[in-house]
Structures are given as structure tokens and as C-alpha cells.
Amino acid sequence: MQNINNRPMRVAAIHDLSGFGRCSLSVILPVLSVMGVQVCPIPTAVLSSHTGGLGEVEFRDLTDFIQPTLEHYKRLNIDFECIYSGFLGSEAQIDHCLEFFSTYKNALAVVDPVMGDHGKAYRTYTKRMRERMSELVGVADLITPNLTEASMLLNDEYPTAPITRTQAKSMLVRLSELGPKYVVITGVSMATNEIANIGYDREHNSFWYVPCDYVPVSYPGTGDIYASVLTGSFLNGDSLPMAMDRATRFLEIAIKTTFTYAQDTRYGVMLEKSLPYLTQRDVLNNYKIL
Ligand code: PXL
């Protein structure tokens, strides 16, 4: 997709680069590229692997890289259609992301508030960082927390039981009240016995529900892939439910494909086998009204 500037849409992606385990920039780059979007990666840290159970990880913090990178881009006078932040390695990085968002005010501000999963915070996330994440969420147009992160942002107890439509809508609206006009919560166990991704578009006051096939395993990086497909889809002109549907269907393909190979789940999803799906511009309609 070309925009009015006669070039592909351009995204500044402020995330970590984890070498092994298929998450963060390692998956964000191929996903957005194959969707026809240019990614300018701004690594917040370099790690030998993700932190999800692969032992002692080599970690180099790159906090002092972000702000000078922004200064360079300002000197170059380049524009971005989207600023997209994710896993952050230190509290100061939140300030640097805020600077990025305020510099490119017209860009779509996507914040994936990567903080935890399965009801628990990631070990690199301090209490203070979790608190400050709400400031970043406050300037976002679109956020994509999983249920753990949504509960943390709202200071709610993590719901251990499936949630009702009313509870789901309440969480979406309260998250939107923090700032973002589009909210998507991923991996929600619903009282209907389905796992679904749910969304809210404040401007149109519409609530969306996209059920997913249940697979009895969980892989790291799937949140990064989901948020990236959603962002790419949005930049390509899809509506919120269409983008949610595209991201959900892609994750289903990637997860099911990987599951058939019975690989160690810590190695992430076999993106290499699934990426061709994203070159299609199918019209999807598996979304429902929540
Ligand atoms: O996918 C989220 C993520 C990103 N970056 C790092 C991680 C994780 C999840 O474990 O460890 C370094």
C-alpha cells in the first residue's frame, strides 16, 4: 500500500531485539515488511533470547540510543505514519518513547504495553515501570494489552474465571478512558467458553469480538505478532474489526502450523512457514459484535 507521499507507510518500531525465540523486533520486522510497511527498528535492548524460560539471558540495555536516534531523524526531516512501542528495558525508555510520540503528533500512536502474561509480570518489569506504562497508554491511539496487562493497567485483580460480555465491555471502556480511542484485549477467556480477542472503537462506540480456535499450548511472541498484523492492517486501511480478524486468523495459522511440528514451545511460532498468508488481501468477516 502506497500513501499520498508515493512511498510505503513508515513505522518507527521501538522494541527490543531478542536473537532467539521469535519475539519483538525479530517478528515485527518480517510481519510489517511482508504487509508492505517500512519498519525503522529502534532497539530498546539487545538480548540473546526472550526471557521466557530459556535460562540466563545476555542483556544489553540501549536506553541511551533512543533519544539520539530521534534527534537524527529530526535532522533528516523524515516523517512516520506510525510510532509503535512495545517491550521496554528501563523506566527512562518510557520518557524517550513519550518524546517520540510527541514529536510525531500526526502519526498513529500504537502502544503494546508488554508487561506480563498468564496473570504475572515479566521479571524485567519493575513496579515503577508498570505504573509509568499508563502514561504511555495515555498518549496512545491504539493499545493491545493481553488480559494480564489489561488487568495491571486497570489495577484490577487478574480474572481467573472466564469473563462475561458486560465485564469485557467494562474493561475495554475503562482502558479507553486512559486515553486510546482503539483498545484491543487479546486472549480473553469468555463465559461463552470461547477464547477471543475483543476490541472497542470509542469514536463509533462499537465493540468487537473475534473468537479464536483453542490450541492447548502457548508460545512467546504471539502478542508481538498480533499487534504487528493489527498495525499493518490498520495502516493498509482496514477497519478495527477487519484488522482484528486478520491478526487473529494469522495467529491461528502460525500457532496451528507450529503445533503440528511439536517443537519446544519456548522457540516461538514458525513464522517462516506462515508469512505468505499476509501477502493476501482477503476480505474477512469472522468478526462479531460484542
Ligand atoms: O513477546 C514479549 C517479549 C518481548 N521481549 C522480551 C521478552 C518478551 C516475552 O517474554 O522476554 C525480551
Side-chain angles (χ1 to χ4, degrees):
M1 162 80 63
Q2 308 266 101
N3 67 17
I4 194 120
N5 301 315
N6 197 33
R7 59 165 173 76
M9 292 285 193
R10 187 183 289 142
V11 178
I14 316 173
H15 300 252
D16 73 282
L17 176 62
S18 289
F20 185 73
R22 298 189 182 96
C23 74
S24 49
L25 286 175
S26 301
V27 297
I28 291 163
L29 276 155
V31 162
L32 282 165
S33 298
V34 87
M35 294 181 84
V37 174
Q38 179 190 0
V39 190
C40 303
I42 301 162
T44 56
V46 180
L47 294 88
S48 49
S49 76
H50 61 67
T51 60
L54 289 166
E56 188 89 0
V57 174
E58 278 301 316
F59 181 101
R60 300 289 183 276
D61 181 76
L62 287 175
T63 300
D64 64 358
F65 176 77
I66 306 172
Q67 217 264 337
T69 298
L70 173 61
E71 293 307 322
H72 184 196
Y73 294 165
K74 282 200 226 165
R75 287 197 300 279
L76 286 173
N77 238 334
I78 52 171
D79 233 340
F80 292 98
E81 281 70 44
C82 174
I83 310 293
Y84 168 26
S85 76
F87 179 95
L88 301 174
S90 69
E91 206 188 312
Q93 291 187 355
I94 296 178
D95 292 316
H96 300 325
C97 286
L98 287 167
E99 271 183 73
F100 249 98
F101 286 118
S102 67
T103 302
Y104 298 98
K105 284 203 171 54
N106 294 329
L108 178 74
V110 180
V111 173
D112 186 7
V114 179
M115 292 188 287
D117 209 353
H118 308 294
K120 283 199 289 239
Y122 292 133
R123 53 187 147 131
T124 51
Y125 265 79
T126 60
K127 188 163 175 288
R128 184 83 187 116
M129 277 174 80
R130 279 189 273 153
E131 285 163 6
R132 294 221 47 216
M133 188 56 97
S134 55
E135 284 178 53
L136 216 46
V137 163
V139 302
D141 296 312
L142 165 66
I143 60 167
T144 57
N146 58 30
L147 192 58
T148 304
E149 292 151 351
S151 310
M152 284 179 179
L153 288 169
L154 293 172
N155 287 317
D156 282 1
E157 283 285 316
Y158 176 69
T160 46
I163 65 170
T164 61
R165 280 179 65 216
T166 312
Q167 283 174 304
K169 284 186 173 181
S170 154
M171 287 187 92
L172 289 166
V173 170
R174 285 183 294 132
L175 284 168
S176 173
E177 282 166 358
L178 299 177
K181 52 178 180 271
Y182 302 104
V183 177
V184 176
I185 309 178
T186 58
V188 182
S189 179
M190 300 290 298
T192 51
N193 272 334
E194 279 179 317
I195 306 286
N197 299 318
I198 57 173
Y200 176 53
D201 172 344
R202 188 178 61 217
E203 225 158 274
H204 300 105
N205 194 31
S206 55
F207 294 87
W208 301 100
Y209 177 90
V210 183
C212 0
D213 280 356
Y214 174 71
V215 179
V217 282
S218 139
Y219 298 95
T222 47
D224 302 327
I225 298 170
Y226 184 91
S228 303
V229 179
L230 193 76
T231 301
S233 219
F234 241 80
L235 292 174
N236 284 334
D238 284 345
S239 66
L240 179 69
M242 287 163 75
M244 288 172 62
D245 202 343
R246 199 175 299 285
T248 306
R249 298 283 84 80
F250 181 64
L251 257 303
E252 254 173 25
I253 289 170
I255 290 172
K256 282 174 153 178
T257 304
T258 311
F259 188 60
T260 64
Y261 284 84
Q263 294 280 299
D264 188 326
T265 54
R266 296 172 303 172
Y267 297 179
V269 294
M270 290 186 169
L271 199 62
E272 308 77 18
K273 295 271 174 211
S274 322
L275 277 177
Y277 171 85
L278 288 177
T279 59
Q280 297 165 22
R281 297 286 303 139
D282 293 351
V283 178
L284 303 167
N285 71 344
N286 290 309
Y287 45 85
K288 301 174 174 48
I289 291 170
L290 174 69

